[in-house]
Amino acid sequence: MPRNESGLTLIELLVTTAILSVISLAIYSSLNSGIKVWQRITRPIPYEDLDVFFNKFAYDVHNAVRFTGVSFLGTDEMLEFATLVHTPLGAGTTPGRVRYVYDPGSHKLTRSQQDYSQVYTGEEAAKEQPIAGDVTSLKF
């Protein structure tokens, strides 16, 4: 009777299973690491908005010292003063006016700016840019 040699032996099956398990483990480990990195990058950082606000505000106040003849204007919820602003045409910085407004209804802090050519011609300020959200209280 002829012997059938077209089948697989038990050792061949065990070796194949071991190789597939090692490859599957490597793929799972890579995907799991990638997902953890993505989750870390996309998670919100507490107080990140406030850090951005304080950096912009410090820059504006630092440059406002150069314009001692122009006084600060403001209320508890709004502050406006002269400082160096970036021109809308991208030509660098120029003297201008910046306004910070806190809206207690929406709990948002916004910033708008005008260069002095816009101030003197009566052009409206650029659209208010939200700087920080979820601010429960603020007084200037």
Side-chain angles (χ1 to χ4, degrees), residues 17-27:
T17 305
I19 290 173
L20 283 176
S21 64
V22 168
I23 291 172
S24 298
L25 183 64
I27 291 172

Side-chain angles (χ1 to χ4, degrees), residues 58-70 72 81-84:
Y59 175 82
D60 289 339
V61 170
H62 173 74
N63 291 322
V65 175
R66 298 180 186 169
F67 303 108
T68 56
V70 179
F72 282 59
F81 55 93
T83 186
L84 292 177

Side-chain angles (χ1 to χ4, degrees), residues 71-81 98-101 139-140:
S71 62
F72 282 59
L73 301 174
T75 63
D76 287 345
E77 296 168 351
M78 186 271 302
L79 180 65
E80 182 178 301
F81 55 93
V98 71
R99 177 182 293 168
Y100 289 93
V101 178
K139 280 189 178 182
F140 287 109

Side-chain angles (χ1 to χ4, degrees), residues 50-60:
L50 289 177
D51 189 38
V52 170
F53 161 69
F54 284 126
N55 284 335
K56 285 185 178 186
F57 189 72
Y59 175 82
D60 289 339

